[in-house]
Amino acid sequence: MSVLSEVLAANEVYSASFGDKANLPMPPKRRFAILTCMDARLDPAKFAGLAEGDAHVIRNAGGRASDDAIRSLVISYKLLGTREWFVIHHTDCGMETFTNEIIRNLLANSLETAKFDGQNWHDVGRGPGSRAGEYMEFLTINNLEQSVIDDVERIRSHPLVPNNIAIYGFIYDVKNGRLIEVPEANRIGRATT
Amino acid sequence: MSVLSEVLAANEVYSASFGDKANLPMPPKRRFAILTCMDARLDPAKFAGLAEGDAHVIRNAGGRASDDAIRSLVISYKLLGTREWFVIHHTDCGMETFTNEIIRNLLANSLETAKFDGQNWHDVGRGPGSRAGEYMEFLTINNLEQSVIDDVERIRSHPLVPNNIAIYGFIYDVKNGRLIEVPEANRIGRATT
């Protein structure tokens, strides 16, 4: 079965027992948001205990506080009332394995999937590639704890983010599913009035 | 119990029975990615049938093909091998209820949460606000089907996106949990070699 058929079949099953989820209101019931990585191993609803309707979930490569993540967080509190935000990066993140220069060179070489040998990325594809990567900032991660601190700090100091929203910084461990606090991030992210 | 305590307690439970998820590799096993909205009512793992390790999930306000979502998708295929992408917007989306002008004015008035009367947003907060919203494009949605088509088209025509990746466009119905195809988006998004 193709991925498309599989997804639609799973969706049939889910919607068949949708029940009273039809009545959930738009604003998140538990008034919080999670910003985390797109990584396939992470299921925020499971690792943080969310039911449908509970919380906003924002995800991108790395779980970074990009302009777009901040756009989403601003809409999250200003229109939909969230009061606490979690920034959650994770161990063994792909964003730690490359730099802007590395991915730009790979993309310039070809648009096929590169291979990782545990140390370096190698392009095994044939061209044509594209130099459009030169115009993209990939927001790679050099140090996991620092990236959480940086992102909490970036959100905390944004002029559209009110001081009374609490921002928490965590690292999710893909080896055991545990959330590990980043104390310095939590210090920076604490709410004041 | 506070939200923070609740999340950490739920995480304890999850990690206590983590099992063989510890051995999941970084690349998504089923080689696809979902781009969808941060809306609290949506659980992509549930509505599309994902287990941990299966697929990348990218989420932002609206599920829009922002520059940041495209950054994530480029990393998703170039380094981690995804071959099919779903763009999924949804009914009753908050992004349909306002415009850049409306949210910019609300933010300029105060950084407190606004109220929606079913037709219009009203700012009930006291200042100070911030005019920094003038520099933010909120990517609001005027027509749901068109926003899916526009986003698939934007991804399809991006120079860093190869022609042989299939892009599907869907609308998730929050009243019954069903994925509704957007045929025109699927036509634009189809893979060629």
Side-chain angles (χ1 to χ4, degrees):
Chain A
M1 198 152 61
S2 72
V3 159
L4 181 55
S5 310
E6 286 169 0
V7 165
L8 295 179
N11 181 249
E12 276 290 325
V13 173
Y14 178 70
S15 60
S17 58
F18 198 66
D20 60 6
K21 288 194 282 292
N23 305 316
L24 288 171
M26 187 191 293
K29 182 175 148 195
R30 293 169 65 198
R31 303 181 76 185
F32 71 100
I34 291 177
L35 167 60
T36 194
C37 186
M38 69 175 178
D39 191 286
R41 294 165 292 182
L42 274 56
D43 187 335
K46 286 191 186 163
F47 76 60
L50 311 180
E52 289 95 326
D54 276 357
H56 285 144
V57 181
I58 301 158
R59 300 180 68 175
N60 63 36
R64 303 308 310 269
S66 59
D67 290 350
D68 195 54
I70 293 175
R71 169 184 74 88
S72 300
L73 289 168
V74 168
I75 292 166
S76 175
Y77 90 83
K78 181 66 195 176
L79 302 184
L80 296 163
T82 60
R83 310 302 308 155
E84 293 169 90
W85 298 340
F86 292 75
V87 174
I88 305 176
H89 296 178
H90 66 94
T91 61
D92 193 38
C93 186
M95 303 301 285
E96 298 173 281
T97 67
F98 67 100
T99 61
N100 276 334
E101 194 190 356
I102 289 170
I103 194 166
R104 285 171 181 163
N105 287 338
L106 291 170
L107 289 163
N109 190 54
S110 89
L111 301 187
E112 293 177 40
T113 299
K115 288 215 187 310
F116 191 59
D117 66 11
Q119 290 279 0
N120 299 301
W121 287 97
H122 302 280
D123 213 81
V124 293
R126 295 190 186 181
S130 165
R131 292 186 51 78
E134 297 290 330
Y135 300 87
M136 196 174 268
E137 165 56 54
F138 287 89
L139 300 175
T140 62
I141 293 177
N142 188 245
N143 175 296
L144 208 49
E145 229 172 271
Q146 194 60 50
S147 68
V148 174
I149 295 167
D150 290 350
D151 282 3
V152 168
E153 191 156 45
R154 182 163 203 252
I155 297 167
R156 178 78 297 157
S157 60
H158 194 283
L160 294 174
V161 172
N163 294 333
N164 58 4
I165 288 185
I167 313 166
Y168 311 119
F170 283 89
I171 293 169
Y172 175 88
D173 189 333
V174 296
K175 287 296 173 206
N176 55 34
R178 272 203 201 114
L179 289 171
I180 307 150
E181 196 192 341
V182 180
E184 174 67 1
N186 288 340
R187 193 189 62 72
I188 293 165
R190 76 179 187 285
T192 55
T193 45
Chain B
M1 198 153 61
S2 71
V3 159
L4 181 56
S5 312
E6 287 170 357
V7 165
L8 295 178
N11 181 249
E12 277 289 325
V13 174
Y14 178 71
S15 61
S17 58
F18 197 65
D20 58 8
K21 289 194 280 292
N23 304 315
L24 288 172
M26 187 192 294
K29 182 174 148 196
R30 293 169 65 197
R31 303 181 75 186
F32 71 99
I34 290 176
L35 167 60
T36 194
C37 186
M38 69 176 178
D39 190 285
R41 293 165 292 181
L42 273 56
D43 186 335
K46 285 191 186 163
F47 75 61
L50 311 180
E52 290 95 327
D54 277 357
H56 285 144
V57 180
I58 301 157
R59 301 179 68 174
N60 62 35
R64 303 308 311 267
S66 60
D67 289 351
D68 195 53
I70 293 176
R71 169 184 74 86
S72 301
L73 288 169
V74 168
I75 293 165
S76 176
Y77 89 84
K78 181 66 194 178
L79 302 183
L80 296 163
T82 59
R83 311 301 306 154
E84 294 167 270
W85 298 341
F86 292 76
V87 174
I88 305 175
H89 297 178
H90 66 95
T91 60
D92 194 39
C93 185
M95 303 301 284
E96 299 173 280
T97 66
F98 67 101
T99 61
N100 276 334
E101 195 190 354
I102 288 170
I103 194 166
R104 284 170 183 164
N105 286 340
L106 291 170
L107 289 163
N109 190 54
S110 89
L111 300 187
E112 293 178 40
T113 299
K115 288 216 187 310
F116 191 58
D117 66 12
Q119 289 279 2
N120 300 302
W121 288 96
H122 302 279
D123 213 81
V124 293
R126 294 190 189 185
S130 164
R131 292 185 51 78
E134 297 290 329
Y135 300 87
M136 196 174 268
E137 166 56 54
F138 287 90
L139 300 175
T140 61
I141 293 176
N142 187 246
N143 175 297
L144 209 49
E145 231 175 88
Q146 193 61 49
S147 68
V148 174
I149 295 168
D150 289 350
D151 282 4
V152 169
E153 190 156 45
R154 183 164 201 250
I155 298 167
R156 177 79 294 159
S157 60
H158 194 282
L160 293 174
V161 172
N163 295 332
N164 58 4
I165 288 183
I167 312 165
Y168 311 120
F170 283 88
I171 294 169
Y172 175 88
D173 188 333
V174 296
K175 286 296 172 205
N176 57 34
R178 272 203 201 114
L179 290 171
I180 307 150
E181 196 192 340
V182 180
E184 174 67 2
N186 287 338
R187 192 188 64 72
I188 293 166
R190 75 178 189 284
T192 54
T193 46

